[in-house]
Amino acid sequence: MKQLGFGLMRLPTIERDDKKMIDMDLFKKMVDLFMESGFTHFDTAYGYHGERSEGAFREAVVNRYDRDRFTVTDKMPMWHVERKEDLDRIFTEQLERCGVDYFDFYWLHALNERSYRKCKEVDAFGFLERKKQEGFIRKTGFSFHDSAEVLNTILTEQPEVDYVQLQINYLDWEDEDIQSRLCYEMAVKHGKRLMIMEPVKGGTLASLPPEVSALFKAYAPDVSDASWAIRYAASLDAVDYVLSGMSNVEQLLDNILTMRVLKPLSDDERDVIAQVIDALSECRAIACTGCGYCLEDCPMRIAIPDYFKAYNNFVMFGEPERWSSFSTFRRLGEKGGKADDCIACGACEGSCPQLLPIIEHLQSVAQLIRDETDDE
Ligand SMILES: NC(=O)c1ccc[n+]([C@@H]2O[C@H](COP(=O)([O-])OP(=O)(O)OC[C@H]3O[C@@H](n4cnc5c(N)ncnc54)[C@H](OP(=O)(O)O)[C@@H]3O)[C@@H](O)[C@H]2O)c1
Ligand code: SF4
Ligand code: SF4
């Protein structure tokens, strides 16, 4: 049976003393419902919820259920690792925070080309193997955010890992940056089993524009938009676990319903999803195809298509996409020109095959960034 995993990154919160705290009463209730429904897997990490996720897991799960009734993944935050010794120190701290004496699954967290270099410097994969032999880890792996090519390099050089955790959802499946399909195929080629993160794209696929959601509703009026996304990820053969961050009881019950008697997608249902993907691309505020022709001549080194993509995501999906869009804006502004660095020279517009008014669109992006930053 494919498993629904309870992602402990988006737990219910309450305001206390001007701080956002995990709502432990509600979380415990959700844990009980989850366990009663037959699911048993939890996914935490060192940094989730301002480093409070592991402790919340201990209080709601470890202190209330026998160790053989649940499984858990924890992850090594490679960005906190400077020297080899840090690996042992952090791992020991994590066992204590979680209140367990072994992890069922333990990953190197959020690997990409750069953090993989660090992993090699400190022999993080050797560390995983050692902890596995010592009985502190049952299955090893890593979560991953980069291209299929980088994944190929890691899996070729580190063939001993058991699992890969990938971001997979129907909108990112063919996305050129995220490369969900290519990464999935690469992991399968290397014989790995998979856990899936972001099946609902962090919530965006549960809050579709009404005209897009109508396509799902016309086919199956009684099921949620989120259930289509969860089934899409769960229908893949090599997937053992679909993780979902669930921030209230309704979401939890809905995802339990979807996963308890999982029906793989039929061909007709895949057609409906294809229509939804097309409709979502029609809803884009800026009809940029990401071809990159405009980039050649920009004297300000503005990553025009990347700005447009993050802007489209924010306009289409609103609040659930806010964090991702704004961290993209920040990253782009650090790597190259900011949206409001545009000097309106017009060099880019002459090379755009879609004839887009790039200068005007960049002004809209810059305005959005100003408006939203002012609100903070
Ligand atoms: N290792 C890594 O690098 C990494 C990265 C990302 C995630 N993860 C792990 O993977 C887990 C899953 O990723 P994710 O939390 O991004 O999963 P997700 O399922 O794509 O997104 C979770 C969000 O989707 C919405 N949602 C989920 N089910 C719903 C339903 N039935 N109806 C309506 N809305 C629903 C909720 O949004 P709202 O709260 O906005 O309502 C929820 O917070 C995380 O919790 C974390 O444990 C790991
Ligand atoms: S108009 Fe703006 S975005 Fe276009 S090439 Fe000139 S500086 Fe770059
Ligand atoms: S040339 Fe036009 S369509 Fe192509 S990436 Fe630039 S803005 Fe987008």
Side-chain angles (χ1 to χ4, degrees):
M1 176 174 146
K2 303 229 183 200
Q3 290 288 328
L4 172 67
F6 198 151
L8 307 183
M9 188 179 81
R10 304 179 194 270
L11 293 171
T13 54
I14 39 170
E15 292 276 335
R16 196 170 289 152
D17 302 330
D18 278 347
K19 279 203 202 112
K20 260 197 178 166
M21 308 295 286
I22 295 170
D23 183 341
M24 286 307 299
D25 291 339
L26 181 52
F27 177 37
K28 284 178 190 168
K29 183 174 163 194
M30 290 169 75
V31 166
D32 294 344
L33 286 168
F34 185 71
M35 299 289 279
E36 278 160 24
S37 73
F39 291 112
T40 51
H41 183 65
F42 298 86
D43 179 277
T44 186
Y46 192 83
Y48 292 168
H49 282 280
E51 299 192 9
R52 285 191 283 269
S53 172
E54 292 165 318
F57 164 72
R58 176 183 189 146
E59 189 180 331
V61 183
V62 181
N63 291 352
R64 299 166 68 240
Y65 289 92
D66 290 341
R67 183 65 182 90
D68 58 359
R69 290 198 55 200
F70 62 87
T71 56
V72 61
T73 303
D74 206 344
K75 315 185 189 87
M76 175 63 67
M78 288 309 300
W79 51 95
H80 286 317
V81 176
E82 299 296 335
R83 291 174 297 275
K84 251 183 162 178
E85 307 82 86
D86 294 334
L87 295 166
D88 256 310
R89 177 181 54 76
I90 295 171
F91 187 81
T92 305
E93 189 184 345
Q94 289 179 298
L95 287 171
E96 279 165 15
R97 281 186 185 186
C98 290
V100 294
D101 42 25
Y102 68 94
F103 292 117
D104 306 271
F105 303 88
Y106 192 82
W107 303 164
L108 305 177
H109 197 168
L111 292 202
N112 55 30
E113 191 171 18
R114 204 176 59 175
S115 56
Y116 179 53
R117 278 200 293 274
K118 160 107 65 87
C119 290
K120 289 208 280 192
E121 277 160 32
V122 298
D123 190 24
F125 282 90
F127 171 83
L128 290 186
E129 278 311 296
R130 183 158 57 78
K131 287 292 167 196
K132 191 177 183 183
Q133 277 158 23
E134 290 169 0
F136 292 110
I137 300 174
R138 299 278 194 265
K139 300 275 183 202
T140 60
F142 57 94
S143 61
F144 182 75
H145 299 273
D146 208 325
S147 67
E149 200 185 325
V150 174
L151 183 60
N152 190 29
T153 304
I154 302 180
L155 290 175
T156 305
E157 293 178 2
Q158 316 294 342
E160 64 287 347
V161 292
D162 301 303
Y163 268 83
V164 181
Q165 184 162 314
L166 288 179
Q167 172 171 337
I168 290 186
N169 58 67
Y170 62 76
L171 203 57
D172 292 331
W173 188 241
E174 295 292 353
D175 185 280
E176 285 176 15
D177 298 325
I178 296 168
Q179 302 192 355
S180 289
R181 177 177 62 78
L182 295 175
C183 287
Y184 172 80
E185 288 169 0
M186 187 57 72
V188 170
K189 189 177 136 205
H190 283 270
K192 300 302 166 194
R193 300 304 298 173
L194 291 173
M195 284 201 192
I196 300 307
M197 57 189 160
E198 311 244 7
V200 188
K201 201 167 165 56
T204 53
L205 301 181
S207 56
L208 297 170
E211 65 274 26
V212 180
S213 174
L215 294 165
F216 281 144
K217 290 285 175 281
Y219 188 89
D222 298 329
V223 305
S224 68
D225 292 352
S227 74
W228 286 84
I230 302 258
R231 285 177 63 213
Y232 185 88
S235 296
L236 294 163
D237 287 341
V239 169
D240 290 341
Y241 294 81
V242 177
L243 308 173
S244 184
M246 296 169 280
S247 51
N248 60 44
V249 169
E250 291 71 31
Q251 292 174 1
L252 178 82
L253 293 177
D254 185 41
N255 294 349
I256 287 172
L257 193 69
T258 304
M259 288 295 289
R260 202 146 62 174
V261 194
L262 177 69
K263 284 192 285 210
L265 290 168
S266 66
D267 289 345
D268 282 352
E269 288 171 325
R270 288 188 184 278
D271 285 347
V272 177
I273 290 181
Q275 288 169 34
V276 164
I277 294 169
D278 284 349
L280 279 171
S281 76
E282 295 289 312
C283 290
R284 286 173 311 168
I286 301 173
C288 169
T289 59
C291 67
Y293 293 164
C294 54
L295 294 170
E296 285 279 288
D297 302 318
C298 176
M300 305 309 289
R301 295 176 42 251
I302 300 171
I304 300 164
D306 295 339
Y307 274 104
F308 290 171
K309 186 173 172 185
Y311 178 86
N312 279 335
N313 280 342
F314 183 77
V315 170
M316 248 191 303
F317 299 116
E319 213 40 43
E321 191 62 12
R322 183 193 167 88
W323 186 85
S324 164
S325 294
F326 279 81
S327 70
T328 303
F329 291 145
R330 225 180 336 267
R331 183 174 47 80
L332 296 175
E334 283 162 12
K335 269 175 50 184
K338 296 188 175 54
D340 63 4
D341 287 341
C342 173
I343 52 170
C345 66
C348 54
E349 293 194 350
S351 43
C352 176
Q354 310 303 319
L355 306 178
L356 296 180
I358 295 178
I359 300 170
E360 199 182 309
H361 286 328
L362 277 175
Q363 285 165 354
S364 307
V365 176
Q367 188 61 49
L368 173 79
I369 296 172
R370 273 194 299 277
D371 290 349
E372 296 289 325
T373 316
D374 286 351
D375 285 352
E376 278 172 1

